[in-house]
């Protein structure tokens, strides 16, 4: 199986991270990864109601922006947040974005999905 491409720490750019975190589905994925630490793509994706190809796209955007680290294990992919890298490059950014997303989800109108 071919190696998964992802940026080196020094190549992570703020604009790419912000663009990756601007999508609600990706924010939900990041919230789940933050809670779980590390997980297989299919384990997290099973909780989110999107088509598999769309989910793969979201994982790729997060990986290429430097938000997540992906490791191939056989036919599966193990994913984790690059929290240490992001905190070193952009102190407080990830916590601020995730806390704001949690508050938004908690205050969502009745009938909408709550945060994980």
């Amino acid at each position: 199986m071919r190696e998964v491409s992802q940026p080196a720490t020094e190549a992570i750019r703020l604009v790419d991270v912000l663009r990756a975190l601007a999508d609600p589905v990706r924010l939900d994925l990041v919230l789940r990864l933050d809670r779980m630490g590390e997980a297989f793509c299919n384990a997290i994706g099973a909780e989110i109601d999107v088509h598999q190809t769309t989910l793969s796209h979201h994982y790729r955007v997060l990986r290429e922006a430097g938000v997540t680290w992906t490791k191939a294990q056989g036919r599966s992919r193990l994913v984790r947040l690059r929290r240490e890298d992001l905190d070193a490059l952009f102190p407080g950014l990830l916590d601020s974005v995730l806390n704001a997303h949690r508050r938004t989800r908690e205050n969502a109108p009745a009938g909408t999905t709550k945060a994980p």
Side-chain angles (χ1 to χ4, degrees):
M1 182 159 289
R2 73 183 168 97
E3 197 64 29
V4 181
S5 83
Q6 37 214 349
T9 303
E10 60 274 5
I12 298 173
R13 299 179 341 145
L14 179 61
V15 68
D16 295 330
V17 171
L18 292 174
R19 190 175 296 124
L21 295 175
D23 184 276
V25 172
R26 289 193 287 269
L27 271 176
D28 286 344
L29 288 170
V30 171
L31 274 175
R32 284 173 169 80
L33 282 170
D34 188 51
R35 185 185 75 230
M36 299 168 79
E38 129 180 304
F40 287 101
C41 290
N42 56 353
I44 300 169
E47 301 175 14
I48 297 177
D49 188 28
V50 295
H51 193 275
Q52 179 59 42
T53 56
T54 303
L55 192 59
S56 294
H57 164 75
H58 288 305
Y59 279 123
R60 181 179 53 80
V61 170
L62 289 169
R63 184 185 73 244
E64 290 177 353
V67 176
T68 61
W69 188 265
T70 304
K71 180 176 153 184
Q73 287 195 341
R75 295 180 56 136
S76 298
R77 300 280 186 267
L78 191 61
V79 181
R80 67 174 170 82
L81 285 181
R82 292 180 71 170
R83 180 169 277 286
E84 301 83 18
D85 292 339
L86 294 173
D87 287 346
L89 292 168
F90 318 112
L93 175 71
L94 190 57
D95 286 330
S96 295
V97 170
L98 293 179
N99 288 334
H101 185 58
R102 284 183 190 104
R103 282 192 306 275
T104 301
R105 299 284 304 253
E106 289 169 359
N107 296 324
T112 58
T113 307
K114 295 288 184 184

